[in-house]
Amino acid sequence: MKKLFFLPVALMLLAAVGCNSTKTAATEEKAAVEQRGERPQRGGERKSPEEMFAEMDTNKDGKLAKDEVSGRLAENFTTIDADSDGFLSVEEIKNARPARGGRPGGGRPGGDK
């Protein structure tokens, strides 16, 4: 009878130790990323304009054509393309992004209150 009780308890302890080591590894990785001065990409954090640009620039020509972008960037391509050359630069993408935590135009949802 004692053996039957011991087995589930041992399994629960092993599971708890395994979960704790995973959490510790994630915490250590987050600390290492912050120490390097980088932004963590997990948890909904946005990528920098440079990181986004590098990922989307599939032909590595240093500019983004409309067929290289998607989502809101594609929807607003002509607005973001400030010099109307048919391509987006890193600077144009930076200028198009709202301030952190803000909204385009600086307003709040529902207007000023």
Side-chain angles (χ1 to χ4, degrees):
M1 185 75 165
K2 288 183 180 180
K3 288 182 183 179
L4 291 177
F5 177 75
F6 178 74
L7 185 60
V9 171
L11 289 174
M12 287 191 318
L13 284 172
L14 286 173
V17 169
C19 290
N20 191 28
S21 66
T22 303
K23 187 181 248 185
T24 303
T27 304
E28 288 173 2
E29 174 61 23
K30 183 177 179 183
V33 166
E34 289 174 358
Q35 186 176 15
R36 292 190 304 259
E38 300 172 1
R39 289 174 154 178
Q41 295 303 314
R42 296 185 203 110
E45 290 264 342
R46 287 186 184 179
K47 294 180 180 178
S48 72
E50 293 84 2
E51 290 169 324
M52 284 180 17
F53 190 91
E55 286 179 10
M56 289 186 287
D57 188 14
T58 56
N59 61 3
K60 305 300 179 203
D61 63 352
K63 54 189 176 184
L64 297 176
K66 191 163 188 172
D67 65 341
E68 291 179 295
V69 298
S70 61
R72 289 187 178 177
L73 210 51
E75 292 169 13
N76 299 306
F77 191 91
T78 55
T79 304
I80 298 168
D81 183 16
D83 61 6
S84 301
D85 65 351
F87 297 97
L88 298 181
S89 66
V90 174
E91 289 303 315
E92 287 172 325
I93 292 173
K94 284 181 182 179
N95 293 334
R97 288 178 59 143
R100 213 166 221 279
R103 296 184 167 275
R108 293 188 303 182
D112 294 332
K113 293 185 179 181

Short mmCIF file of all heavy atoms in Angstrom, two decimals, residues 7-53:
data_model
loop_
_atom_site.label_atom_id
_atom_site.label_comp_id
_atom_site.label_asym_id
_atom_site.label_seq_id
_atom_site.Cartn_x
_atom_site.Cartn_y
_atom_site.Cartn_z
N LEU A 7 4.37 6.28 -5.34
CA LEU A 7 4.51 6.48 -6.77
C LEU A 7 3.85 7.79 -7.25
O LEU A 7 4.51 8.59 -7.91
CB LEU A 7 3.96 5.27 -7.53
CG LEU A 7 4.15 5.30 -9.03
CD1 LEU A 7 5.62 5.36 -9.40
CD2 LEU A 7 3.50 4.07 -9.66
N PRO A 8 2.59 8.06 -6.94
CA PRO A 8 2.00 9.33 -7.38
C PRO A 8 2.69 10.55 -6.78
O PRO A 8 2.87 11.58 -7.44
CB PRO A 8 0.54 9.25 -6.92
CG PRO A 8 0.27 7.82 -6.66
CD PRO A 8 1.59 7.19 -6.33
N VAL A 9 3.11 10.44 -5.53
CA VAL A 9 3.81 11.56 -4.88
C VAL A 9 5.13 11.82 -5.59
O VAL A 9 5.50 12.96 -5.87
CB VAL A 9 4.02 11.28 -3.38
CG1 VAL A 9 4.93 12.33 -2.75
CG2 VAL A 9 2.68 11.23 -2.65
N ALA A 10 5.86 10.77 -5.93
CA ALA A 10 7.13 10.92 -6.64
C ALA A 10 6.92 11.54 -8.02
O ALA A 10 7.68 12.42 -8.44
CB ALA A 10 7.83 9.57 -6.76
N LEU A 11 5.88 11.11 -8.72
CA LEU A 11 5.59 11.68 -10.05
C LEU A 11 5.23 13.16 -9.95
O LEU A 11 5.64 13.96 -10.79
CB LEU A 11 4.47 10.88 -10.72
CG LEU A 11 4.84 9.48 -11.19
CD1 LEU A 11 3.61 8.75 -11.70
CD2 LEU A 11 5.90 9.53 -12.26
N MET A 12 4.46 13.53 -8.94
CA MET A 12 4.11 14.95 -8.76
C MET A 12 5.35 15.78 -8.47
O MET A 12 5.50 16.89 -8.98
CB MET A 12 3.07 15.11 -7.66
CG MET A 12 1.69 14.63 -8.08
SD MET A 12 0.31 15.04 -7.00
CE MET A 12 0.94 14.76 -5.37
N LEU A 13 6.25 15.26 -7.68
CA LEU A 13 7.49 15.99 -7.37
C LEU A 13 8.34 16.16 -8.62
O LEU A 13 8.89 17.23 -8.87
CB LEU A 13 8.29 15.27 -6.28
CG LEU A 13 7.76 15.41 -4.86
CD1 LEU A 13 8.53 14.50 -3.92
CD2 LEU A 13 7.84 16.84 -4.41
N LEU A 14 8.45 15.11 -9.42
CA LEU A 14 9.22 15.21 -10.67
C LEU A 14 8.59 16.23 -11.62
O LEU A 14 9.29 17.01 -12.26
CB LEU A 14 9.32 13.84 -11.34
CG LEU A 14 10.28 12.85 -10.70
CD1 LEU A 14 10.15 11.49 -11.37
CD2 LEU A 14 11.71 13.35 -10.79
N ALA A 15 7.29 16.23 -11.71
CA ALA A 15 6.60 17.19 -12.57
C ALA A 15 6.83 18.61 -12.08
O ALA A 15 7.07 19.53 -12.88
CB ALA A 15 5.11 16.87 -12.63
N ALA A 16 6.76 18.81 -10.78
CA ALA A 16 6.98 20.15 -10.22
C ALA A 16 8.39 20.64 -10.48
O ALA A 16 8.60 21.80 -10.83
CB ALA A 16 6.69 20.14 -8.72
N VAL A 17 9.37 19.77 -10.33
CA VAL A 17 10.76 20.14 -10.59
C VAL A 17 10.94 20.47 -12.06
O VAL A 17 11.60 21.44 -12.43
CB VAL A 17 11.73 19.01 -10.15
CG1 VAL A 17 13.13 19.26 -10.65
CG2 VAL A 17 11.71 18.89 -8.63
N GLY A 18 10.34 19.69 -12.96
CA GLY A 18 10.43 19.94 -14.40
C GLY A 18 9.82 21.28 -14.77
O GLY A 18 10.38 22.03 -15.57
N CYS A 19 8.67 21.61 -14.22
CA CYS A 19 8.02 22.90 -14.51
C CYS A 19 8.86 24.05 -14.00
O CYS A 19 9.00 25.07 -14.65
CB CYS A 19 6.64 22.95 -13.86
SG CYS A 19 5.44 21.87 -14.64
N ASN A 20 9.45 23.88 -12.83
CA ASN A 20 10.27 24.93 -12.26
C ASN A 20 11.51 25.18 -13.10
O ASN A 20 11.92 26.31 -13.29
CB ASN A 20 10.65 24.59 -10.82
CG ASN A 20 11.28 25.76 -10.10
OD1 ASN A 20 10.99 26.90 -10.43
ND2 ASN A 20 12.12 25.49 -9.14
N SER A 21 12.13 24.13 -13.63
CA SER A 21 13.34 24.32 -14.43
C SER A 21 13.01 25.01 -15.74
O SER A 21 13.79 25.81 -16.24
CB SER A 21 14.04 22.99 -14.68
OG SER A 21 13.24 22.15 -15.50
N THR A 22 11.83 24.75 -16.32
CA THR A 22 11.42 25.43 -17.54
C THR A 22 11.22 26.92 -17.26
O THR A 22 11.65 27.77 -18.02
CB THR A 22 10.11 24.82 -18.08
OG1 THR A 22 10.31 23.45 -18.30
CG2 THR A 22 9.68 25.49 -19.36
N LYS A 23 10.58 27.22 -16.16
CA LYS A 23 10.34 28.61 -15.80
C LYS A 23 11.68 29.33 -15.56
O LYS A 23 11.87 30.45 -15.98
CB LYS A 23 9.47 28.68 -14.54
CG LYS A 23 9.04 30.07 -14.18
CD LYS A 23 8.20 30.05 -12.92
CE LYS A 23 6.80 30.42 -13.25
NZ LYS A 23 5.96 30.53 -12.06
N THR A 24 12.59 28.65 -14.90
CA THR A 24 13.90 29.23 -14.63
C THR A 24 14.65 29.50 -15.93
O THR A 24 15.25 30.56 -16.10
CB THR A 24 14.73 28.31 -13.72
OG1 THR A 24 14.00 28.09 -12.52
CG2 THR A 24 16.06 28.91 -13.38
N ALA A 25 14.59 28.58 -16.88
CA ALA A 25 15.26 28.77 -18.17
C ALA A 25 14.68 29.96 -18.92
O ALA A 25 15.41 30.77 -19.49
CB ALA A 25 15.15 27.50 -19.01
N ALA A 26 13.36 30.10 -18.89
CA ALA A 26 12.71 31.23 -19.56
C ALA A 26 13.10 32.55 -18.88
O ALA A 26 13.36 33.55 -19.55
CB ALA A 26 11.20 31.06 -19.55
N THR A 27 13.15 32.54 -17.57
CA THR A 27 13.53 33.74 -16.82
C THR A 27 14.98 34.12 -17.12
O THR A 27 15.30 35.29 -17.30
CB THR A 27 13.34 33.51 -15.31
OG1 THR A 27 11.99 33.12 -15.08
CG2 THR A 27 13.65 34.76 -14.51
N GLU A 28 15.85 33.13 -17.17
CA GLU A 28 17.26 33.38 -17.48
C GLU A 28 17.43 33.93 -18.89
O GLU A 28 18.22 34.85 -19.12
CB GLU A 28 18.08 32.11 -17.30
CG GLU A 28 18.26 31.70 -15.86
CD GLU A 28 18.93 30.35 -15.69
OE1 GLU A 28 19.29 29.72 -16.71
OE2 GLU A 28 19.09 29.92 -14.55
N GLU A 29 16.68 33.39 -19.85
CA GLU A 29 16.75 33.88 -21.24
C GLU A 29 16.28 35.33 -21.31
O GLU A 29 16.90 36.16 -21.97
CB GLU A 29 15.91 32.99 -22.17
CG GLU A 29 15.82 33.50 -23.58
CD GLU A 29 17.16 33.61 -24.31
OE1 GLU A 29 18.12 32.93 -23.92
OE2 GLU A 29 17.24 34.40 -25.26
N LYS A 30 15.20 35.64 -20.62
CA LYS A 30 14.68 37.01 -20.62
C LYS A 30 15.72 37.97 -20.03
O LYS A 30 15.97 39.04 -20.58
CB LYS A 30 13.39 37.09 -19.82
CG LYS A 30 12.75 38.45 -19.83
CD LYS A 30 11.44 38.46 -19.07
CE LYS A 30 10.85 39.84 -19.09
NZ LYS A 30 9.61 39.93 -18.31
N ALA A 31 16.36 37.58 -18.95
CA ALA A 31 17.38 38.41 -18.33
C ALA A 31 18.57 38.61 -19.27
O ALA A 31 19.11 39.71 -19.38
CB ALA A 31 17.85 37.80 -17.01
N ALA A 32 18.97 37.55 -19.98
CA ALA A 32 20.09 37.65 -20.91
C ALA A 32 19.77 38.59 -22.07
O ALA A 32 20.60 39.39 -22.49
CB ALA A 32 20.46 36.26 -21.44
N VAL A 33 18.54 38.51 -22.58
CA VAL A 33 18.13 39.38 -23.67
C VAL A 33 18.14 40.84 -23.21
O VAL A 33 18.65 41.73 -23.90
CB VAL A 33 16.72 38.97 -24.18
CG1 VAL A 33 16.11 40.04 -25.06
CG2 VAL A 33 16.80 37.66 -24.93
N GLU A 34 17.60 41.10 -22.03
CA GLU A 34 17.57 42.46 -21.49
C GLU A 34 18.99 42.98 -21.24
O GLU A 34 19.28 44.14 -21.47
CB GLU A 34 16.74 42.51 -20.22
CG GLU A 34 15.25 42.34 -20.50
CD GLU A 34 14.41 42.24 -19.24
OE1 GLU A 34 14.98 42.26 -18.13
OE2 GLU A 34 13.19 42.13 -19.37
N GLN A 35 19.87 42.11 -20.77
CA GLN A 35 21.24 42.52 -20.50
C GLN A 35 21.96 42.92 -21.79
O GLN A 35 22.77 43.83 -21.80
CB GLN A 35 21.99 41.39 -19.81
CG GLN A 35 23.39 41.78 -19.37
CD GLN A 35 24.06 40.66 -18.61
OE1 GLN A 35 23.63 39.51 -18.63
NE2 GLN A 35 25.14 40.99 -17.92
N ARG A 36 21.64 42.24 -22.90
CA ARG A 36 22.24 42.58 -24.19
C ARG A 36 21.62 43.84 -24.78
O ARG A 36 22.05 44.31 -25.83
CB ARG A 36 22.06 41.42 -25.17
CG ARG A 36 22.86 40.19 -24.82
CD ARG A 36 22.84 39.16 -25.93
NE ARG A 36 21.52 38.75 -26.33
CZ ARG A 36 20.91 37.61 -25.96
NH1 ARG A 36 21.52 36.80 -25.13
NH2 ARG A 36 19.72 37.31 -26.39
N GLY A 37 20.60 44.37 -24.13
CA GLY A 37 19.97 45.59 -24.63
C GLY A 37 18.96 45.32 -25.73
O GLY A 37 18.56 46.23 -26.44
N GLU A 38 18.53 44.08 -25.87
CA GLU A 38 17.56 43.73 -26.89
C GLU A 38 16.17 43.68 -26.28
O GLU A 38 16.01 43.60 -25.08
CB GLU A 38 17.89 42.36 -27.49
CG GLU A 38 19.24 42.30 -28.14
CD GLU A 38 19.62 40.89 -28.54
OE1 GLU A 38 18.82 39.96 -28.33
OE2 GLU A 38 20.73 40.70 -29.05
N ARG A 39 15.18 43.72 -27.15
CA ARG A 39 13.81 43.59 -26.68
C ARG A 39 13.39 42.13 -26.75
O ARG A 39 13.63 41.48 -27.75
CB ARG A 39 12.86 44.34 -27.61
CG ARG A 39 12.95 45.80 -27.54
CD ARG A 39 12.06 46.28 -28.62
NE ARG A 39 11.54 47.59 -28.36
CZ ARG A 39 10.77 48.21 -29.19
NH1 ARG A 39 10.41 47.64 -30.32
NH2 ARG A 39 10.33 49.40 -28.93
N PRO A 40 12.73 41.64 -25.72
CA PRO A 40 12.20 40.28 -25.82
C PRO A 40 11.05 40.24 -26.82
O PRO A 40 10.28 41.18 -26.92
CB PRO A 40 11.71 39.97 -24.40
CG PRO A 40 11.59 41.27 -23.72
CD PRO A 40 12.48 42.24 -24.42
N GLN A 41 10.95 39.16 -27.60
CA GLN A 41 9.93 39.06 -28.63
C GLN A 41 8.71 38.27 -28.19
O GLN A 41 7.78 38.12 -28.94
CB GLN A 41 10.53 38.40 -29.89
CG GLN A 41 11.60 39.25 -30.52
CD GLN A 41 11.11 40.63 -30.88
OE1 GLN A 41 10.06 40.79 -31.45
NE2 GLN A 41 11.88 41.65 -30.54
N ARG A 42 8.74 37.75 -27.00
CA ARG A 42 7.59 36.98 -26.51
C ARG A 42 6.63 37.91 -25.80
O ARG A 42 6.97 39.01 -25.42
CB ARG A 42 8.06 35.90 -25.54
CG ARG A 42 8.93 34.89 -26.20
CD ARG A 42 9.28 33.78 -25.23
NE ARG A 42 10.49 33.15 -25.68
CZ ARG A 42 11.65 33.25 -25.06
NH1 ARG A 42 11.77 33.94 -23.99
NH2 ARG A 42 12.71 32.67 -25.55
N GLY A 43 5.42 37.42 -25.60
CA GLY A 43 4.46 38.15 -24.79
C GLY A 43 3.88 39.37 -25.48
O GLY A 43 3.49 40.31 -24.83
N GLY A 44 3.83 39.40 -26.79
CA GLY A 44 3.19 40.49 -27.50
C GLY A 44 4.08 41.70 -27.74
O GLY A 44 3.60 42.72 -28.20
N GLU A 45 5.33 41.62 -27.41
CA GLU A 45 6.23 42.73 -27.66
C GLU A 45 6.41 42.93 -29.15
O GLU A 45 6.50 41.98 -29.91
CB GLU A 45 7.60 42.46 -27.02
CG GLU A 45 7.57 42.51 -25.53
CD GLU A 45 7.98 43.85 -24.97
OE1 GLU A 45 8.59 44.65 -25.69
OE2 GLU A 45 7.68 44.09 -23.81
N ARG A 46 6.46 44.17 -29.57
CA ARG A 46 6.68 44.47 -30.98
C ARG A 46 8.15 44.36 -31.34
O ARG A 46 9.02 44.63 -30.54
CB ARG A 46 6.27 45.92 -31.27
CG ARG A 46 4.81 46.13 -31.28
CD ARG A 46 4.58 47.54 -31.73
NE ARG A 46 3.18 47.85 -31.66
CZ ARG A 46 2.69 49.02 -31.98
NH1 ARG A 46 3.51 49.99 -32.35
NH2 ARG A 46 1.41 49.25 -31.90
N LYS A 47 8.37 44.02 -32.59
CA LYS A 47 9.73 44.01 -33.11
C LYS A 47 10.10 45.44 -33.49
O LYS A 47 9.23 46.26 -33.78
CB LYS A 47 9.83 43.11 -34.33
CG LYS A 47 9.59 41.67 -34.02
CD LYS A 47 9.69 40.83 -35.26
CE LYS A 47 9.43 39.38 -34.90
NZ LYS A 47 9.48 38.53 -36.08
N SER A 48 11.38 45.72 -33.51
CA SER A 48 11.82 47.05 -33.93
C SER A 48 11.58 47.21 -35.42
O SER A 48 11.48 46.21 -36.15
CB SER A 48 13.31 47.23 -33.62
OG SER A 48 14.08 46.45 -34.52
N PRO A 49 11.49 48.44 -35.93
CA PRO A 49 11.32 48.64 -37.37
C PRO A 49 12.43 47.97 -38.18
O PRO A 49 12.17 47.41 -39.24
CB PRO A 49 11.37 50.16 -37.53
CG PRO A 49 10.95 50.70 -36.21
CD PRO A 49 11.45 49.70 -35.19
N GLU A 50 13.65 48.00 -37.66
CA GLU A 50 14.77 47.38 -38.37
C GLU A 50 14.60 45.86 -38.47
O GLU A 50 14.88 45.26 -39.51
CB GLU A 50 16.10 47.71 -37.69
CG GLU A 50 16.50 49.17 -37.76
CD GLU A 50 15.87 50.04 -36.68
OE1 GLU A 50 15.13 49.54 -35.81
OE2 GLU A 50 16.11 51.25 -36.71
N GLU A 51 14.13 45.24 -37.37
CA GLU A 51 13.90 43.79 -37.38
C GLU A 51 12.78 43.42 -38.34
O GLU A 51 12.90 42.46 -39.11
CB GLU A 51 13.56 43.30 -35.98
CG GLU A 51 14.71 43.36 -35.00
CD GLU A 51 14.28 43.13 -33.57
OE1 GLU A 51 13.18 43.57 -33.17
OE2 GLU A 51 15.06 42.49 -32.85
N MET A 52 11.69 44.17 -38.29
CA MET A 52 10.58 43.93 -39.21
C MET A 52 11.04 44.06 -40.65
O MET A 52 10.73 43.22 -41.50
CB MET A 52 9.44 44.94 -38.97
CG MET A 52 8.61 44.67 -37.77
SD MET A 52 7.27 45.87 -37.49
CE MET A 52 7.05 46.73 -39.00
N PHE A 53 11.77 45.12 -40.92
CA PHE A 53 12.25 45.40 -42.28
C PHE A 53 13.13 44.26 -42.79
O PHE A 53 12.93 43.76 -43.90
CB PHE A 53 13.03 46.72 -42.28
CG PHE A 53 13.36 47.22 -43.65
CD1 PHE A 53 12.49 48.08 -44.30
CD2 PHE A 53 14.52 46.84 -44.30
CE1 PHE A 53 12.78 48.56 -45.57
CE2 PHE A 53 14.82 47.30 -45.57
CZ PHE A 53 13.94 48.17 -46.21
#
